[in-house]
């Protein structure tokens, strides 16, 4: 039997990565303002001027971390709360995290869109697998009762 708490570890890894990315974005913005690459007033409404491409890329990367990953956190929490943690659910959770890290690496290095898209699509399939696994487990539990 799988220890139920093991499903939480991938979520913690994803949260730590998100916090690191947020910190990196904050530092990059501060550097850009200090180097006069961006006027600080740009950050009031994000519509007064522009920011360098690399900073825009990092900004978009952080935004990505608040689009699909919340569905990952939700399925992890629901899997744990409904006591449906299995080895398969833990493997899928780690698979999602690994794919998101790979996506980050491609996005922030070469930013080769075809490769990035394939990794993104794979992460979506893994996430869908997590939700399907949870749904099937819950339906089985409901029909048994």
């Amino acid at each position: 039997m799988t220890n139920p708490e093991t499903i939480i570890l991938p979520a913690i890894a994803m949260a730590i990565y998100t916090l690191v990315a947020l910190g990196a974005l904050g530092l990059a913005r501060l550097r850009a303002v200090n180097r006069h690459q961006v006027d600080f007033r740009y950050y009031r409404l994000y519509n007064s001027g522009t920011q360098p491409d690399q900073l825009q890329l990092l900004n978009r990367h952080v935004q990505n971390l608040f689009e699909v990953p919340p569905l990952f956190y939700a399925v992890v929490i629901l899997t744990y709360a409904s006591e449906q943690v299995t080895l398969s659910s833990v493997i899928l959770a780690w698979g999602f995290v690994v794919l998101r890290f790979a996506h980050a690496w491609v996005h922030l290095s070469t930013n080769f869109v075809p490769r990035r898209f394939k990794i993104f699509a794979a992460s979506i399939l893994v996430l869908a697998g997590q939700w399907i696994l949870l749904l099937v487990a819950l339906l089985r539990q409901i029909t048994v009762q």
Side-chain angles (χ1 to χ4, degrees), residues 62-123:
V62 169
Q63 286 177 342
N64 286 342
L65 295 172
F66 292 94
E67 292 172 355
V68 174
L71 291 171
F72 166 71
Y73 296 122
V75 76
V76 165
I77 291 166
L78 291 172
T79 299
Y80 180 77
S82 62
E83 300 179 353
Q84 300 302 322
V85 178
T86 63
L87 180 58
S88 296
S89 64
V90 173
I91 289 170
L92 286 171
W94 277 115
F96 179 82
V97 171
V98 167
L99 287 165
R100 291 303 301 193
F101 287 176
H103 179 268
W105 180 78
V106 171
H107 195 197
L108 297 174
S109 62
T110 64
N111 201 17
F112 184 62
V113 174
R115 179 176 294 130
R116 197 177 92 210
F117 177 76
K118 287 176 186 173
I119 296 168
F120 175 78
S123 74

